[in-house]
Amino acid sequence: MKKILTFNAITQKDEEAVVTIDVNGEYLLKFEDGSFFKLPGDLTKKQIQDALEANKKNNEGQISQAKIEKANEEKLKNI
Amino acid sequence: MAATFQFGRDSGDAAGSPAKGTVRTATVTDVNWKAVTTEGTLYSASPITDGANSVENWLYGHFSGTFNQISAGLFAHTNEGADFGAGITLKGPTSMTVDGDNETYTTPSATTNANLSVNMTSEIAITSGSAVWFGATGPEAASKAASMTTNPCYTNWLVTQLQTSGASAGDTSTVTLTLRYNEN
């Protein structure tokens, strides 16, 4: 089983993803929580590295609406 | 008076330079990711087979009416409690930081678009959304900027693609994609 350490946008952490080739010949990167993303099957090693870096750069720090609403609820408890 | 806003979408083969779709639909109210690019084909008539992707959905925003300036654009999947469900990932455009960040229209394809690296599967606070820029002529045109006084004006491409792996059959929940902007 092939695994890679990469950024999970849902959990906002670097995690191991199991990498397989899907039925369409594309890279399927699946995390333990079930979330996943794909990369085109024709990428070179360098392009894959770039895509994984872009994945982290463009998703790190993403704030969910649920997190904001939870924080707002906590603030309202101070009133 | 106020700006008039509409979502629009390009579909069909890429044509021209800069490239755009051969079909431009000026008023779009639903995204409806599906397996073919043909505008007007119902999503129910073109379902995405589990394991495959949707074709890219080349959405954009269009401003007309009366305004001095449009600015501070942000784009995200925003509604809480209406995720797509297991086995589905939504990918979207990266933030605009320079004019060259705009995507280049290509004929919509079910092949994974590696440029769409923002994961929009779960709801995102709009303040954490992808930065959107604006420009004249169309979403494909160069010279996009963070604010725009030209009227009418257009956003950069707000392109999205659904990826599936282990998804259940049937419709997903309805989700909301939000474009926030300032006008004055």
Side-chain angles (χ1 to χ4, degrees):
Chain A
M1 188 182 290
K2 197 91 173 177
K3 291 185 177 180
I4 189 170
L5 188 68
T6 190
F7 189 73
N8 183 343
I10 305 299
T11 62
Q12 290 287 301
K13 292 176 185 169
D14 285 320
E15 295 176 359
E16 273 195 337
V18 175
V19 185
T20 54
I21 305 298
D22 74 2
V23 291
N24 303 303
E26 299 196 315
Y27 294 101
L28 173 64
L29 295 86
K30 193 167 263 188
F31 298 98
E32 193 175 353
D33 67 351
S35 64
F36 71 94
F37 66 95
K38 298 182 185 181
L39 294 174
D42 59 355
L43 296 186
T44 63
K45 193 168 189 172
K46 170 74 167 64
Q47 288 170 324
I48 290 171
Q49 196 58 41
D50 291 346
L52 294 177
E53 285 175 14
N55 172 59
K56 182 164 186 173
K57 178 186 165 197
N58 293 317
N59 291 292
E60 190 169 32
Q62 196 178 76
I63 300 167
S64 70
Q65 186 59 33
K67 191 173 181 181
I68 285 193
E69 289 183 8
K70 191 175 177 184
N72 287 345
E73 281 176 21
E74 291 301 315
K75 286 178 187 173
L76 286 171
K77 286 178 183 172
N78 295 329
I79 301 298
Chain B
M1 299 298 287
T4 300
F5 173 78
Q6 291 175 315
F7 279 114
R9 174 169 49 226
D10 274 21
S11 55
D13 290 345
S17 180
K20 59 183 182 179
T22 47
V23 177
R24 174 155 291 174
T25 304
T27 305
V28 171
T29 55
D30 298 307
V31 174
N32 288 335
W33 295 276
K34 53 191 181 183
V36 299
T37 178
T38 314
E39 191 67 40
T41 300
L42 295 174
Y43 72 89
S44 54
S46 183
I48 304 157
T49 304
D50 180 39
N53 303 328
S54 73
V55 297
E56 298 126 321
N57 202 300
W58 291 89
L59 205 65
Y60 63 88
H62 172 243
F63 300 87
S64 58
T66 305
F67 62 85
N68 294 318
Q69 184 184 69
I70 303 292
S71 62
L74 291 166
F75 179 64
H77 160 206
T78 53
N79 60 321
E80 187 181 0
D83 284 350
F84 292 99
I88 297 176
T89 293
L90 177 66
K91 300 304 284 289
T94 56
S95 281
M96 291 288 290
T97 56
V98 294
D99 190 32
D101 285 339
N102 195 9
E103 299 295 328
T104 299
Y105 184 91
T106 52
T107 302
S109 160
T111 300
T112 293
N113 185 331
N115 293 333
L116 305 180
S117 59
V118 174
N119 192 319
M120 298 172 65
T121 310
S122 296
E123 77 283 358
I124 300 166
I126 189 63
T127 49
S128 194
S130 295
V132 174
W133 282 14
F134 311 94
T137 311
E140 74 283 1
S143 303
K144 293 283 184 295
S147 62
M148 187 56 52
T149 56
T150 303
N151 187 353
C153 71
Y154 300 79
T155 66
N156 55 279
W157 292 113
L158 308 174
V159 55
T160 54
Q161 183 178 42
L162 270 189
Q163 304 177 347
T164 73
S165 175
S168 301
D171 291 2
T172 68
S173 300
T174 299
V175 302
T176 302
L177 301 183
T178 299
L179 172 66
R180 190 173 88 172
Y181 57 90
N182 287 348
E183 68 170 274
N184 61 35

